Amino acid sequence: MYEDLARRCLDGEVRAVARFISLLEDGNRQAYDAMSAFASTMGRAQTVGITGPPGSGKSTLTDKLIGYFRSQGKKVAVIAVDPSSPFSGGAILGDRLRMQGHAVDPGVYIRSLASRGQLGGLSKATAFALRVLEAAGYDLLIIETVGVGQSEIDIVKVADTVVLVSVPGLGDDIQVIKAGIMEIGDIFVVNKSDRDGADRVVREIRAMLETQAALKRGRSPSAGPDTLASRSAELLHHGQVGAAAPQQTEEIEPEDLPPVMKTIAETGEGVPELGALILTRYENDRQSGALENRRLGSIRAQLRDIAAWQLMDRLADSGANGRLDSLAESVQARNKDIYGAAKELTDALIKGESI
Amino acid sequence: MYEDLARRCLDGEVRAVARFISLLEDGNRQAYDAMSAFASTMGRAQTVGITGPPGSGKSTLTDKLIGYFRSQGKKVAVIAVDPSSPFSGGAILGDRLRMQGHAVDPGVYIRSLASRGQLGGLSKATAFALRVLEAAGYDLLIIETVGVGQSEIDIVKVADTVVLVSVPGLGDDIQVIKAGIMEIGDIFVVNKSDRDGADRVVREIRAMLETQAALKRGRSPSAGPDTLASRSAELLHHGQVGAAAPQQTEEIEPEDLPPVMKTIAETGEGVPELGALILTRYENDRQSGALENRRLGSIRAQLRDIAAWQLMDRLADSGANGRLDSLAESVQARNKDIYGAAKELTDALIKGESI
């Protein structure tokens, strides 16, 4: 049945796609096993992640981008994700898009995914839903998330192109949060750019990107992607304890920085330019080999995540027969520390003991 | 060295506490191993999680609560967490509190934790930092997070008492996000309650709590904590596809609902009442056995999380010698699907093969 469903997805059957994604969302393991049918279509589509704080107009922008990509002959699928809102968020995001008229266009598929409370469950379902949608023949996959927390970052960072949307007038707290995700942005958009303060936001983003570039130049070429974050944390930490922060004296080449664009999604201003940039950057990255490198890194990271999820599933299964309970009771009775107790559990699992 | 550091933490030495928490934040495994020294102090302190959207005045509220708890003779430690902001957020949260004068009080310890980019790394460090702080003799541990995403929920839900702060006038988007975390709240606070719309926010929260209670009554007693989220998601899903949502007809008893309090943190209005409620609820829960049950559930969940982290560490280690790379290349070359490739990895790990 699952293989049949997968085959119908490959034929582009919308109902089968919807069903398959629901099964993934439910954590159905047979559906995950049936994903092997999509090995040959892996990486066929361009994925675009769009995120930014609530109120930045992401849904309207996504709506207008759908229109642009359709005008370029692309089939478009959107996954609207709300990691923080099991109650209503996902539905609201998706509904906003559906209401805007694309529901009747067979070249557009819109789908909401909302959290069902498991750690990592949503980013897992999203990552796999993308594979189903590209198998079904969509050329351009948009992942839209609301909010700017760690879960949102985890979800959009798998995209080929990440668009970070900000907006004038959201106040400092929001801007502080935004700072945390600067590193994953390929294209920065200041939406509602007819509002007061738009140019200031553009300048602030450029300044943050320059700081980031300076930090990057300070790191060794062999350093991994976590380095910038750790270095920033270090700098901050040193700042806190009163030690002198290392000086960054390197020159910054502005042409290396990600572009910062202004849009007014409501009227469509700036949207064709943004859409065109999304497409041309992808094409350039594909031709230069940069895309392949980026995707290999992303596949590697996903492989590790998926393997970890599978191990967690095995742990969840193993909890059924009491070992987990008895260890938890020992910890509560202060006979064991929680870290050591967890180690007993993993050792048993690795050794293949019945637990 | 780690055992010595742990002993000094047990003696309440502040510098040792700071050092130990830094090691946890860095993911130092020897420090985690040395946590066994704290088995006997597990659960000694009351933990309070405070979260809410940016701009809701959490820092000021936390500041005033520290003052209240000090007046009750409690030693207080605060962990200010910003999961979304590796650059600046954690520091800013902590600095705000430090600036408010508690830095000179030896009965108060304030510590910032910021994300260093690993999945789950921050909630892990936070959970263990709490164990160190209670070992060092702090009676009341406050975890403050900015933002309301899944990571924030994961971080504060380990607390004995979860306080959700909202505020009038943040607009609909923010309120939607808040809806996703209603379920974890023990006490609801509408801060800045002298602002227009405060009573409306109180009413909205009560209405959401009533809906939640109605859904809860509809579920079977044996159902786990994820049930409400899944049921809500189901209801939404059914709503989306046009099927009739199940009707909830049960009566709601308002006295079962979590309290909704109004505060003006700036002036301190409502803060002693909130502080007293936090203490008395804990005391009641302790005497009724409800606390023990809740903590056992939380220990069980944490045990599983920690075991999963340990398994992920082993996977990360195993990646060093090429198996992960070659699998990632096979996936990119479309010879293997990513889920199947991950399964090869976990099977090898479980079987103890050298990978």
Side-chain angles (χ1 to χ4, degrees):
Chain A
M1 171 241 169
Y2 295 93
E3 283 65 30
D4 180 54
L5 199 61
R7 197 188 39 72
R8 285 163 53 206
C9 289
L10 282 162
D11 290 342
E13 206 187 296
V14 174
R15 283 173 59 96
V17 167
R19 177 85 189 109
F20 207 104
I21 295 177
S22 292
L23 290 167
L24 296 176
E25 204 180 14
D26 290 341
N28 183 302
R29 294 191 204 171
Q30 286 157 293
Y32 281 97
D33 285 336
M35 291 292 301
S36 56
F38 307 133
S40 62
T41 53
M42 172 87 189
R44 193 155 76 173
Q46 175 181 4
T47 53
V48 180
I50 301 184
T51 194
S56 57
K58 289 181 305 299
S59 289
T60 310
L61 192 64
T62 303
D63 171 53
K64 293 293 163 72
L65 278 173
I66 294 171
Y68 174 79
F69 293 132
R70 290 298 291 141
S71 77
Q72 303 299 303
K74 308 276 184 192
K75 287 184 73 182
V76 183
V78 182
I79 298 197
V81 184
D82 190 343
S84 56
S85 188
F87 277 81
S88 55
I92 285 176
L93 270 181
D95 286 348
R96 274 191 204 154
L97 289 170
R98 265 186 293 273
M99 278 185 292
Q100 284 152 337
H102 300 298
V104 295
D105 177 351
V108 177
Y109 180 82
I110 295 166
R111 169 77 191 207
S112 300
L113 289 180
S115 175
R116 302 220 172 164
Q118 329 138 262
L119 180 72
L122 193 52
S123 50
K124 184 182 175 182
T126 306
F128 284 99
L130 295 175
R131 302 281 81 86
V132 177
L133 290 165
E134 74 184 347
Y138 294 95
D139 307 300
L140 222 128
L141 313 178
I142 299 178
I143 319 161
E144 186 197 336
T145 71
V146 69
V148 284
Q150 189 62 46
S151 337
E152 288 81 357
I153 296 175
D154 290 338
I155 288 167
V156 298
K157 76 181 177 197
V158 302
D160 297 321
T161 316
V162 176
V163 179
L164 292 187
V165 186
S166 49
V167 72
L170 280 186
D172 279 349
D173 263 332
I174 303 276
Q175 300 301 322
V176 164
I177 292 180
K178 201 164 49 57
I181 57 166
M182 295 291 287
E183 215 179 329
I184 63 159
D186 298 301
I187 298 173
F188 290 78
V189 171
V190 178
N191 192 30
K192 304 187 186 179
S193 63
D194 49 345
R195 282 197 188 169
D196 282 351
D199 290 326
R200 195 175 56 78
V201 176
V202 170
R203 279 196 306 274
E204 282 173 4
I205 293 172
R206 287 229 172 91
M208 283 201 259
L209 290 171
E210 280 164 16
T211 310
Q212 191 173 296
L215 284 164
K216 239 178 210 150
R217 282 158 167 278
R219 77 184 184 191
S220 72
S222 63
D226 286 350
T227 311
L228 177 56
S230 345
R231 287 222 38 185
S232 310
E234 264 169 47
L235 290 176
L236 280 167
H237 187 69
H238 284 294
Q240 280 171 42
V241 298
Q247 285 298 311
Q248 299 295 334
T249 53
E250 294 87 347
E251 271 179 22
I252 295 139
E253 291 164 25
E255 61 269 32
D256 287 347
L257 299 179
V260 186
M261 306 187 76
K262 292 201 282 190
T263 56
I264 308 171
E266 208 62 56
T267 64
E269 213 175 302
V271 172
E273 291 80 359
L274 173 61
L277 188 66
I278 290 172
L279 295 179
T280 55
R281 279 181 73 98
Y282 176 75
E283 202 46 50
N284 291 342
D285 284 356
R286 215 164 59 87
Q287 282 170 17
S288 72
L291 179 70
E292 203 176 356
N293 278 338
R294 177 177 178 146
R295 283 183 168 178
L296 188 60
S298 154
I299 289 171
R300 210 177 173 285
Q302 278 188 65
L303 259 180
R304 220 149 67 184
D305 284 351
I306 297 163
W309 288 326
Q310 290 173 349
L311 290 168
M312 285 168 82
D313 280 346
R314 294 204 195 207
L315 268 178
D317 293 346
S318 74
N321 61 16
R323 177 81 169 251
L324 188 59
D325 289 328
S326 68
L327 283 170
E329 279 161 21
S330 297
V331 171
Q332 186 157 47
R334 300 177 185 175
N335 294 323
K336 282 192 164 97
D337 74 291
I338 196 165
Y339 192 76
K343 217 162 187 172
E344 282 188 38
L345 208 57
T346 55
D347 283 343
L349 187 71
I350 295 282
K351 284 186 202 133
E353 284 173 21
S354 144
I355 48 177
Chain B
M1 171 242 172
Y2 295 92
E3 284 64 29
D4 180 56
L5 198 63
R7 197 188 39 70
R8 285 162 54 208
C9 289
L10 282 161
D11 290 344
E13 206 186 297
V14 174
R15 283 173 58 96
V17 167
R19 176 87 188 108
F20 207 104
I21 295 177
S22 292
L23 290 168
L24 296 176
E25 204 181 13
D26 291 340
N28 184 302
R29 295 192 204 171
Q30 286 157 292
Y32 280 97
D33 285 336
M35 292 292 302
S36 56
F38 308 133
S40 63
T41 53
M42 172 87 189
R44 192 155 77 174
Q46 175 181 4
T47 53
V48 181
I50 301 184
T51 195
S56 58
K58 288 181 305 297
S59 289
T60 311
L61 191 65
T62 302
D63 170 54
K64 294 292 162 70
L65 279 172
I66 294 171
Y68 174 80
F69 293 133
R70 290 298 292 142
S71 77
Q72 304 300 303
K74 307 276 183 193
K75 286 185 73 182
V76 183
V78 181
I79 298 197
V81 183
D82 190 344
S84 57
S85 189
F87 277 81
S88 55
I92 285 176
L93 270 180
D95 286 347
R96 273 192 206 154
L97 289 169
R98 265 186 293 272
M99 278 186 293
Q100 284 151 337
H102 299 297
V104 296
D105 178 351
V108 178
Y109 180 81
I110 294 166
R111 168 78 191 207
S112 299
L113 289 181
S115 173
R116 303 222 171 163
Q118 329 137 262
L119 179 73
L122 192 54
S123 51
K124 182 183 178 181
T126 307
F128 284 99
L130 295 174
R131 302 282 79 87
V132 177
L133 291 165
E134 75 184 346
Y138 294 96
D139 308 300
L140 221 128
L141 312 179
I142 299 178
I143 318 161
E144 185 198 336
T145 72
V146 68
V148 284
Q150 188 62 47
S151 338
E152 290 80 358
I153 297 176
D154 290 338
I155 289 167
V156 299
K157 75 181 177 195
V158 302
D160 297 321
T161 316
V162 175
V163 179
L164 291 187
V165 186
S166 48
V167 70
L170 280 186
D172 278 349
D173 263 334
I174 302 275
Q175 300 299 325
V176 164
I177 292 180
K178 201 163 49 54
I181 57 167
M182 296 292 287
E183 214 178 329
I184 64 160
D186 298 301
I187 298 173
F188 290 78
V189 171
V190 178
N191 192 31
K192 306 188 185 178
S193 63
D194 49 344
R195 283 197 187 169
D196 282 352
D199 289 327
R200 195 176 56 80
V201 176
V202 170
R203 280 196 305 274
E204 282 174 2
I205 293 172
R206 287 229 172 90
M208 283 203 260
L209 290 170
E210 280 164 16
T211 309
Q212 191 173 294
L215 283 165
K216 240 178 208 148
R217 282 158 166 277
R219 77 183 183 190
S220 73
S222 62
D226 287 348
T227 310
L228 178 54
S230 347
R231 287 224 35 187
S232 310
E234 263 168 48
L235 290 177
L236 280 167
H237 188 67
H238 284 295
Q240 279 171 43
V241 297
Q247 285 297 312
Q248 298 296 334
T249 52
E250 293 87 347
E251 270 180 23
I252 296 138
E253 292 165 24
E255 62 269 34
D256 288 346
L257 299 180
V260 185
M261 307 189 75
K262 292 201 281 188
T263 57
I264 308 172
E266 208 62 55
T267 64
E269 213 175 303
V271 172
E273 292 79 0
L274 174 62
L277 187 66
I278 290 171
L279 296 179
T280 54
R281 279 182 72 98
Y282 176 77
E283 203 45 52
N284 292 342
D285 284 355
R286 215 164 61 86
Q287 282 170 16
S288 72
L291 179 69
E292 203 176 356
N293 277 339
R294 177 178 178 145
R295 282 182 168 181
L296 188 59
S298 154
I299 289 171
R300 209 177 173 286
Q302 278 188 65
L303 259 180
R304 218 149 68 181
D305 284 350
I306 296 163
W309 289 324
Q310 291 172 349
L311 289 169
M312 284 167 83
D313 280 346
R314 293 203 196 207
L315 267 180
D317 293 346
S318 73
N321 61 15
R323 177 80 170 250
L324 189 58
D325 289 328
S326 68
L327 283 170
E329 279 161 22
S330 297
V331 171
Q332 187 157 45
R334 301 176 184 175
N335 294 324
K336 282 192 164 96
D337 74 290
I338 196 164
Y339 192 76
K343 217 160 189 176
E344 282 188 38
L345 208 59
T346 55
D347 282 344
L349 186 72
I350 296 283
K351 283 187 202 132
E353 284 174 20
S354 144
I355 47 175

